Amino acid sequence: MTIHLPSPVLDANASGGALGELPEWDLSDLYPSPDAPEISRDLDWLERACADFAASYEGKLATLDAAAMLECVRAYERIEMKAGRIMSYAGLRYYQNTTDAARAKFLSDCQDRITRYTTPLVFFSLEFNRIDDTAYAALFSADPELARYRPVFDRMRAMKPHQLSDELERFLHDMSSVGASAWNKLFDETMAGLEFEVEGETAPLNLESTLNLLTDPDRKRREAAARALALVFGRNIKLFSRIHNTLAKEKEIEDRWRKMPTPQHARHLANHVEPEVVQALRDAVVAAYPRLSHRYYRLKARWMGLDKLQVWDRNAPLPIEQPRMIGWDEARETVMSAYADFSPEIADIARPFFERGWIDAGVKPGKAPGAFAHPTVTDAHPYILLNYLGKPRDVMTLAHELGHGVHQVLAAAQGELLSHTPLTLAETASVFGEMLTFNKLLSQATTPPERKILLAGKVEDMINTVVRQIAFYDFESKLHAARREGELTPDDINALWMSVQTESLGDAFEFMPGYETFWSYVPHFVHSPFYVYAYAFGDGLVNALYAAYEEGLPDFQSKYLDMLRAGGSKHHRELLAPFGLDASDPAFWDKGLSMIARMIDELESME
């Protein structure tokens, strides 16, 4: 049973200023209030529906004909939708203010009740996977409506070699609300409550505002922010080490019981992607470090007149860049016009996000850092969380998350079970939206310095998306492998972090004391182990797609929209075939990496 809960994704961008009126969520499309009778009604319905489902189908799945199985699947889908609506509402309220005890309690209480109610459904996937392969194939070929759902059950059956006894699976389901979920909440609440005393600032800052200072034009302010981050992370490093040790050990135990061959394997199964495809991506990116990140950062050091970059220079604006605050209305117009130029239909889908309270944009005390788009359920609509503070990168974050939202709206027609896209493909529309917005701005550049600033910003974003995320993936791989050998001290984890940072960023950098703790604030490691390679996957995929678009592939827009509408109903091979692309071809990844390299070539030619 899937319980939908948004995970905050850290894309820290921002600054302050007069940004105009920033939108806030209107969650009433889900429920009017946390004490609304509709919530009690739906929880009561869910309890009865789960019990009735188990009574009707447990022990009988192998005996159902196609018509009866279709009825069964649709009943299961209705349960998923109801549970998803409740948990989406509780989760979104919580992420608006993670330090509010009442919101945290409401979320935990909903999660506890839904976990309890859905325990009788654990039999469903286990029993389904015991259906004989011949009978399984015959079942799905007998009814076209049932056949639509086959991708869901093909992915379910990929877990067949790793499923445990019915009793153990029920136990793990019951424990889910006090295992990783509880450690996730501790991490979120700790991060939201941290305060950073930054030299030169009149009051303590939260994490989002402090990270934002790392993009400030004033180098002294950037350094002060970096040192404040290191100081606070260092003070809390034992807690963060405990969280990571516990989660990695819990994962190791479950992986061992499930006979998972590697710590990454469960993520690959969930993403419906072959391990060798991810390995090819990882290897291609690591091999490209010298011609991408190493080369670019040496170039940036020269632009900044420095022998060595410090960590607080990594995302610094260029010396020729004039600081500029971008108001919300301008950001909206920039992104919407880029979307509309590509496809008026996509712009029409995006418009309600701005007009109907589907975006929460402002930075507020206790609000989750970063940005995400949460699809909620297919009979509602997605919601976008931003921490918008007016930097050019914030505009790109808006374009990114709006792409997610458009994708989620288009995929909703597939229904609750088929709409959810594997993480590797979930970044497609978001990164494509960024590319559209970037190229719109680039086409409007009238001077070489404007073009240089835009190209450099895009290269940095792509390095952050590809190089940095693959370095994160390697860090996680090393951490989980080391944890299997025993408890890790904070110094152990710090050393793993620095090994991948040195390799990925290159010799242009000098690392300040304290930077070794910066692994501690990355939420992906806590919420979604090995999630991070999906960003690099998405960027490489989009670069290849965008090249096909620029080359004038016939009917590109309609093919692109069809790909988004497919949601999770097709494998990546099927989705990419209309574009003449194949992610299993090792040369595929070099196409995307070459696009980044060509941008660096152009920047070097401007020297």
Side-chain angles (χ1 to χ4, degrees):
M1 181 70 195
T2 302
I3 297 174
H4 303 289
L5 179 63
S7 294
V9 175
L10 199 63
D11 288 328
N13 309 307
S15 173
L19 302 172
E21 187 175 351
L22 296 175
E24 294 188 358
W25 279 337
D26 176 4
L27 299 179
S28 63
D29 287 347
L30 296 172
Y31 292 102
S33 67
D35 56 358
E38 291 89 344
I39 293 179
S40 296
R41 177 201 67 197
D42 285 355
L43 283 166
D44 290 343
W45 179 92
L46 187 66
E47 183 177 22
R48 291 192 305 273
C50 291
D52 290 346
F53 186 90
S56 298
Y57 295 112
E58 188 167 11
K60 303 169 188 173
L61 290 185
T63 69
L64 300 181
D65 62 16
M69 182 61 78
L70 178 61
E71 185 179 338
C72 170
V73 170
R74 286 175 171 167
Y76 187 85
E77 189 168 40
R78 287 192 293 273
I79 290 171
E80 282 255 318
M81 195 173 298
K82 196 69 70 178
R85 177 178 284 269
I86 295 166
M87 286 310 302
S88 293
Y89 178 72
L92 292 171
R93 282 189 74 250
Y94 172 71
Y95 283 124
Q96 282 184 301
N97 187 354
T98 62
T99 58
D100 184 331
R103 293 179 187 231
K105 172 179 166 51
F106 180 73
L107 171 61
S108 292
D109 287 349
C110 287
Q111 197 161 30
D112 288 346
R113 288 181 68 177
I114 290 176
T115 299
R116 187 168 71 251
Y117 296 163
T118 56
T119 296
L121 305 186
V122 171
F123 82 91
F124 184 66
S125 61
L126 306 176
E127 194 173 313
F128 206 100
N129 284 349
R130 287 196 287 266
I131 296 174
D132 173 78
D133 287 347
T134 303
Y136 174 79
L139 190 67
F140 281 96
S141 62
D143 185 326
E145 278 300 302
L146 182 61
R148 278 191 65 249
Y149 290 96
R150 180 157 185 171
V152 176
F153 295 100
D154 283 348
R155 288 196 287 272
M156 185 187 291
R157 284 172 81 83
M159 277 295 293
K160 186 176 180 177
H162 308 292
Q163 70 185 34
L164 305 174
S165 68
D166 292 13
E167 186 175 33
L168 274 174
E169 293 288 0
R170 286 192 178 93
F171 172 75
L172 289 174
H173 181 83
D174 281 349
M175 287 291 291
S176 63
S177 64
V178 293
S181 175
W183 289 98
N184 285 183
K185 289 196 195 79
L186 175 61
F187 174 84
D188 291 339
E189 290 164 11
T190 301
M191 275 296 164
L194 293 181
E195 293 187 339
F196 301 85
E197 300 274 356
V198 180
E199 184 180 346
E201 300 298 313
T202 57
L205 302 178
N206 64 11
L207 176 64
E208 190 74 34
S209 297
T210 310
L211 288 168
N212 165 67
L213 288 176
L214 296 179
T215 64
D216 196 273
D218 186 335
R219 194 166 190 247
K220 289 184 178 179
R221 293 188 82 200
R222 297 198 306 272
E223 179 180 356
R227 297 196 183 280
L229 289 165
L231 181 65
V232 174
F233 294 158
R235 286 174 180 165
N236 291 274
I237 202 66
K238 288 184 178 179
L239 173 60
F240 296 132
S241 297
R242 172 59 47 219
I243 291 171
H244 282 68
N245 266 289
T246 303
L247 288 171
K249 183 61 179 178
E250 181 185 64
K251 180 170 174 26
E252 184 273 324
I253 293 169
E254 185 168 342
D255 284 351
R256 175 160 35 89
W257 277 78
R258 293 192 182 281
K259 296 181 172 58
M260 293 286 180
T262 67
Q264 300 89 339
H265 195 72
R267 176 63 62 197
H268 301 335
L269 289 175
N271 285 343
H272 202 40
V273 64
E274 299 77 13
E276 57 270 20
V277 172
V278 179
Q279 190 64 38
L281 163 64
R282 181 265 173 201
D283 292 347
V285 173
V286 171
Y289 285 170
R291 63 190 175 100
L292 299 182
S293 50
H294 297 185
R295 182 163 63 121
Y296 174 76
Y297 288 128
R298 288 191 203 108
L299 196 58
K300 185 168 186 176
R302 291 202 297 274
W303 292 337
M304 298 184 74
L306 299 170
D307 293 329
K308 292 282 186 180
L309 294 174
Q310 299 291 338
V311 293
W312 54 81
D313 299 317
R314 185 171 63 83
N315 288 320
L318 302 188
I320 61 171
E321 189 171 345
Q322 295 299 312
R324 185 166 97 81
M325 192 68 60
I326 301 170
W328 178 253
D329 288 345
E330 182 183 348
R332 169 182 173 168
E333 173 57 29
T334 298
V335 174
M336 286 294 290
S337 64
Y339 275 41
D341 288 349
F342 172 71
S343 166
E345 183 177 351
I346 285 182
D348 288 342
I349 294 167
R351 194 164 290 108
F353 283 86
F354 296 95
E355 298 173 350
R356 299 183 188 172
W358 298 3
I359 299 176
D360 196 299
V363 175
K364 306 163 198 170
K367 183 177 177 180
F372 63 72
H374 181 51
T376 73
V377 285
T378 54
D379 62 350
H381 57 78
Y383 284 90
I384 290 173
L385 179 140
L386 302 171
N387 280 275
Y388 187 85
L389 287 166
K391 288 285 181 71
R393 281 190 171 119
D394 289 349
V395 180
M396 290 300 175
T397 300
L398 171 60
H400 182 102
E401 301 304 338
L402 195 62
H404 277 309
V406 168
H407 194 174
Q408 291 159 358
V409 169
L410 285 166
Q414 294 288 343
E416 195 66 21
L417 294 181
L418 284 163
S419 63
H420 298 285
T421 308
L423 291 177
T424 43
L425 297 170
E427 295 299 326
T428 304
S430 55
V431 179
F432 199 89
E434 284 189 74
M435 187 65 81
L436 290 172
T437 303
F438 164 72
N439 280 306
K440 172 82 173 179
L441 294 171
L442 193 66
S443 70
Q444 296 170 347
T446 57
T447 66
E450 283 183 273
R451 186 174 180 86
K452 180 177 180 179
I453 289 165
L454 285 167
L455 279 171
K458 185 59 178 172
V459 167
E460 290 192 15
D461 286 344
M462 294 170 97
I463 287 174
N464 285 338
T465 303
V466 177
V467 170
R468 187 165 169 80
Q469 300 303 327
I470 289 300
F472 282 179
Y473 178 69
D474 278 357
F475 167 73
E476 283 191 277
S477 298
K478 290 183 175 186
L479 185 146
H480 284 265
R483 183 63 182 90
R484 291 186 173 208
E485 302 303 315
E487 177 89 6
L488 300 175
T489 67
D491 286 344
D492 292 334
I493 304 177
N494 292 347
L496 297 177
W497 172 258
M498 291 309 299
S499 71
V500 300
Q501 293 300 299
T502 303
E503 180 187 23
S504 62
L505 295 178
D507 59 8
F509 276 90
E510 186 174 85
F511 298 102
M512 70 169 186
Y515 181 66
E516 67 274 7
T517 64
F518 275 45
W519 56 268
S520 61
Y521 80 89
V522 182
H524 308 79
F525 305 152
V526 174
H527 287 281
S528 304
F530 302 106
Y531 176 106
V532 288
Y533 74 75
Y535 288 111
F537 195 110
D539 197 88
L541 188 155
V542 165
N543 287 344
L545 275 177
Y546 206 86
Y549 169 54
E550 289 189 316
E551 290 163 7
L553 181 73
D555 299 319
F556 181 92
Q557 281 87 339
S558 63
K559 291 175 180 176
Y560 177 76
L561 285 164
D562 286 344
M563 179 176 68
L564 300 188
R565 288 190 187 99
S569 68
K570 293 181 179 179
H571 188 269
H572 62 77
R573 282 199 189 92
E574 294 178 84
L575 290 173
L576 293 175
F579 304 95
L581 301 171
D582 180 4
S584 63
D585 178 359
F588 172 84
W589 302 111
D590 286 329
K591 293 178 183 177
L593 298 173
S594 295
M595 178 180 287
I596 306 173
R598 285 195 297 274
M599 290 183 181
I600 301 174
D601 290 343
E602 183 175 348
L603 287 168
E604 284 184 331
S605 73
M606 294 179 175
E607 285 286 274

